[in-house]
Each structure stands twice: as C-alpha cells, then as structure tokens.
Amino acid sequence: MNTQHHILQRRIATPLGPLTAARSATGLSGLWFDGQKHHPGALEVPVDDGSDPVLSATEAALQAYFGGKPFVMPPLDPAGTAFQRAVWQALLAIAPGASDTYGHLAERLGRAQAARALGAAVGRNPISILIPCHRVVGADGSLTGYAGGLPRKQALLSLEGASA
C-alpha cells in the first residue's frame, strides 16, 4: 500500500475497538482497526490536533453510525488500482441492513468471471465501515472473511439490522 498517500492521522474510539483514520490531500484515505489484515502499520505522518475537517467529519460519521443515526459521508480518497476503486465504489451502493454476494457484485461490474479478484479487492478496502465491505457475504449468505475479523463483521451487520 502506498502510505505516502496519507498526510495526517487521528485515532478514533469505537464500540468495536480503536481505529486509525488517515487522510490524503483530498479526503479520507484510510480507516483501519488495530491488527486488521492489510493494516499499513505505523503511519509516518503527523497526528491531527483535532481541528482537521475531514478527520472530524469521519469521527462524526462514525459516532452517528454506531448510534444508529444517518450521517454525512466525509470525502473519500482511497488509493488503489482502477479495478479496486470500482469495487469500492460498488460497495457504497449496498444499503445499510442489506448484503450482497461477491458473485453478484462481479456481475454488476461486468466482470462475472472475476469474483475472486473482486473478493481480493473487497479485502483490500482501506476504509473500514464507511466503505461497507462488511456487507458482502458468501453465495449462500454465510459470513466470509473480513479484514477486521468475523466477530466485527457480525457486529456491524447486527448493528445495521442485517439478517446475515
């Protein structure tokens, strides 16, 4: 992962554990649970003093999300390949309380034979929760891998009222 994309960071407490939020020059570029798979590790960028508008909007969005309230999405700027960014954009279309399968998402992107590549892109999503990769389930509706761990995936889906 290109950690040079990030310019500022902030730690954010959540009911599921602390997150590290990072921003680029144009938007939120990362949001990771401690110990999450594909976590970039310690970021060599300054820590926000609490005044950054993007990181403040991210924290407010997470507080509203965990409180079951609507929220305004901060500007997003995840670094990835064109295919990864297309997958992450498709994830944003999955409504809270709903889920989708890897195969169906691949079909929606016109890449029906690319379900495994899509799964890899979902797993590399650098913006946990707000780009809702937790809403993607197996073809039979079962919970499958989540970089933040399956207990967190189940907790997020339960919070949203999903039946998975």
Side-chain angles (χ1 to χ4, degrees), residues 127 139 153:
I127 302 178
K153 181 173 187 162

Side-chain angles (χ1 to χ4, degrees), residues 9-12 18-22 30-34 39 41 43 126:
Q9 65 179 312
R10 180 188 291 185
R11 297 284 287 164
I12 299 174
L19 291 163
T20 297
L31 191 60
W32 307 273
F33 287 106
D34 291 357
H39 190 297
L43 299 176

Side-chain angles (χ1 to χ4, degrees), residues 65-86:
Y65 172 83
F66 281 108
K69 298 183 171 109
F71 62 89
V72 175
M73 184 74 77
L76 303 177
D77 187 27
T81 66
F83 178 71
Q84 287 172 326
R85 289 191 313 272

Side-chain angles (χ1 to χ4, degrees), residues 36-132:
Q36 173 176 323
K37 190 175 181 183
H38 308 298
H39 190 297
L43 299 176
E44 307 249 342
V45 298
V47 174
D48 176 40
D49 64 6
S51 65
D52 182 76
V54 169
L55 296 176
S56 293
T58 300
E59 190 162 358
L62 288 167
Q63 288 174 346
Y65 172 83
F66 281 108
K69 298 183 171 109
F71 62 89
V72 175
M73 184 74 77
L76 303 177
D77 187 27
T81 66
F83 178 71
Q84 287 172 326
R85 289 191 313 272
V87 168
W88 301 333
Q89 189 64 40
L91 294 175
L92 291 167
I94 306 171
S99 62
D100 206 344
T101 66
Y102 296 96
H104 183 252
L105 280 172
E107 287 175 17
R108 277 196 4 222
L109 290 170
R111 306 275 302 262
Q113 303 305 312
R116 284 184 184 237
L118 181 131
V122 169
R124 290 270 181 185
N125 169 24
I127 302 178
S128 296
I129 303 172
L130 297 181
I131 296 180

